[in-house]
């Protein structure tokens, strides 16, 4: 691999709705690893969980509002365009085809998502397409065994430079500013009549109120 690769990272999720846990993680990681691009990628229909509460179009609009004044972040809406169940292996294969073999692609996952990886469709293909950057999440202990222990043993690196200077195949763990925020908690607050303000951007909370969501 040469030193001139460009690097692209994806934070996939339902963003139901987007909150500061997503945004701060994405920005901090992009800057810490000097990545060229950080894309937030909303899934249309996540395979391993209940369907999102907010409609795809609203989740997308809220994401756009959330990053409107942050040029370091962008939104990639390919899974919404594709519709159907959003399999990350399909998405990464499509992305890899677009950018070619030399570009570094990373999939950013919170610890909860990383631990669920063996339940994902064709998850073994993912390290052949991208790196994984695993971000600690408050309240989610790190505990791997069996298949995930072997997976980590085969792929783990502690060298941040490897993420930028190789194209795929490494797993890097990072601790960012811990923010104990989840979309579930935000939805619960709203449905109980409480305000979620200061857990998510004001523009997103204003959008939810304005549209009676
Ligand atoms: P829900 O509560 O509905 O499950 P969520 O808050 O976990 O939602 P997702 O859209 O499912 O949000 O998360 C997208 C990705 O961002 C996942 O990899 C998840 O682990 C990560 N993530 C979400 N919130 C945080 C947080 N507070 N800190 C670090 N990572 C996070």
């Amino acid at each position: 691999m040469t030193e001139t690769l460009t690097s692209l990272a994806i934070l996939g999720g339902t963003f139901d709705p987007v909150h500061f846990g997503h945004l701060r993680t994405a920005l901090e990681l992009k800057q810490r690893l000097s990545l060229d691009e950080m894309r937030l990628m909303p899934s249309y229909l996540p395979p391993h969980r209940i369907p999102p509460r907010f409609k795809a179009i609203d989740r997308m609009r809220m994401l756009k509002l959330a990053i409107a004044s942050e040029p370091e972040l962008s939104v990639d809406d390919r899974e919404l365009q594709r519709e159907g169940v959003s399999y990350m292996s399909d998405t990464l294969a499509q992305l890899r085809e677009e950018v070619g073999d030399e570009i570094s692609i990373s999939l950013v996952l919170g610890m909860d998502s990383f631990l669920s990886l063996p339940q994902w469709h064709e998850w073994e293909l993912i390290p052949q397409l991208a790196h994984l950057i695993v971000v600690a999440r408050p309240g989610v202990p790190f505990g791997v065994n069996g298949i995930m222990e072997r997976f980590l043993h085969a792929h783990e690196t502690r060298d941040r430079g490897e993420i930028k200077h190789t194209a795929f195949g490494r797993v890097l763990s990072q601790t960012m500013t811990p923010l104990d925020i989840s979309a579930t908690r935000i939805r619960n607050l709203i449905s109980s009549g409480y305000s979620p303000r200061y857990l998510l951007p004001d523009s997103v909370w204003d959008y939810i109120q304005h549209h009676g969501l």
Side-chain angles (χ1 to χ4, degrees):
M1 298 291 165
T2 67
E3 291 287 306
T4 54
L5 286 179
T6 51
S7 48
L8 162 67
I10 304 294
L11 174 63
T14 39
F15 302 105
D16 192 32
V18 61
H19 55 67
F20 286 134
H22 302 124
L23 296 164
R24 185 66 214 165
T25 297
L27 180 61
E28 217 167 293
L29 206 52
K30 178 177 186 287
Q31 296 193 331
R32 186 186 290 178
L33 271 58
S34 302
L35 301 171
D36 297 316
E37 265 193 64
M38 175 63 77
R39 300 185 191 175
L40 306 177
M41 190 184 280
S43 63
Y44 184 72
L45 208 52
H48 302 297
R49 50 180 292 163
I50 52 162
R53 177 73 200 270
F54 292 98
K55 282 193 293 194
I57 182 81
D58 290 319
R59 291 184 289 119
M60 179 70 192
R61 286 186 182 143
M62 290 189 281
L63 265 174
K64 286 198 165 156
L65 286 170
I67 63 158
S69 55
E70 182 43 73
E72 300 250 38
L73 303 178
S74 57
V75 177
D76 186 325
D77 69 351
R78 71 186 58 226
E79 293 191 341
L80 301 188
Q81 299 292 346
R82 200 164 72 216
E83 298 191 348
V85 180
S86 309
Y87 293 119
M88 187 48 81
S89 54
D90 292 349
T91 302
L92 290 173
Q94 190 191 45
L95 208 54
R96 178 55 76 197
E97 210 167 294
E98 270 172 40
V99 302
D101 292 340
E102 303 272 288
I103 307 289
S104 162
I105 302 179
S106 298
L107 174 64
V108 181
L109 296 172
M111 184 59 77
D112 54 319
S113 301
F114 176 68
L115 295 175
S116 73
L117 204 59
Q119 278 105 58
W120 291 23
H121 176 68
E122 295 181 338
W123 74 282
E124 300 93 335
L125 296 182
I126 292 179
Q128 298 165 38
L129 296 164
H131 298 301
L132 293 177
I133 302 177
V134 185
V135 179
R137 194 162 174 185
V140 182
F142 180 72
V144 289
N145 48 35
I147 194 165
M148 287 308 268
E149 202 171 350
R150 289 195 294 281
F151 179 76
L152 268 184
H153 187 71
H155 297 283
E156 194 170 25
T157 181
R158 289 175 199 278
D159 176 4
R160 289 181 196 165
E162 266 200 78
I163 295 297
K164 210 169 142 67
H165 298 128
T166 60
F168 57 90
R170 304 275 114 218
V171 178
L172 177 76
S173 298
Q174 293 287 286
T175 302
M176 323 304 296
T177 301
L179 291 170
D180 192 358
I181 302 174
S182 71
T184 302
R185 171 119 194 281
I186 290 172
R187 293 193 303 274
N188 288 343
L189 283 170
I190 297 171
S191 57
S192 312
Y194 293 107
S195 169
R197 196 182 292 286
Y198 311 132
L199 298 175
L200 74 179
D202 278 346
S203 55
V204 175
W205 176 221
D206 290 347
Y207 182 92
I208 293 171
Q209 291 179 100
H210 186 76
H211 291 86
L213 307 177

